[in-house]
Amino acid sequence: AERGVAPGALAHRALIKRDRGDLEGASRDVEAALRIDPELSRAYLVRAGLHVARDDLRGALADLDRAVEHDPE
């Protein structure tokens, strides 16, 4: 991960990369965000979207469950 980068910023950048078709770059950023803050529900939501883009619905559901677990509202 990049030193000093906020995990929320990494999750946001992952969305931008995903929207530009860079799924690998998006995955790297979201994984870095989760290494910094494993309770960042937004990162799990982003990763769920990446799973969907790869037709991995089981992985997407697991990450949606994690997102709700860390931010039930």
Side-chain angles (χ1 to χ4, degrees), residues 2-3 5 8 10 12-13 16 19 22-23 30 32 37-38 41 47 54-55 61-63 66 70 73:
E2 299 170 32
R3 293 184 75 113
V5 177
L10 287 167
H12 183 75
R13 189 169 73 180
I16 293 168
D19 291 347
D22 181 8
L23 297 182
V30 79
D37 184 357
S41 62
R47 194 167 72 176
R54 293 182 172 115
D55 292 323
L61 286 172
D63 276 342
R66 287 185 190 107
H70 294 297
E73 294 181 30

Side-chain angles (χ1 to χ4, degrees), residues 17-62:
K17 288 181 178 181
R18 183 204 65 194
D19 291 347
R20 293 181 177 171
D22 181 8
L23 297 182
E24 291 306 315
S27 291
R28 284 191 300 273
D29 280 351
V30 79
E31 294 301 330
L34 288 169
R35 278 193 300 276
I36 296 167
D37 184 357
E39 296 184 8
L40 183 64
S41 62
R42 185 169 21 147
Y44 289 107
L45 292 174
V46 172
R47 194 167 72 176
L50 293 172
H51 285 303
V52 170
R54 293 182 172 115
D55 292 323
D56 175 12
L57 299 183
R58 186 168 284 142
L61 286 172

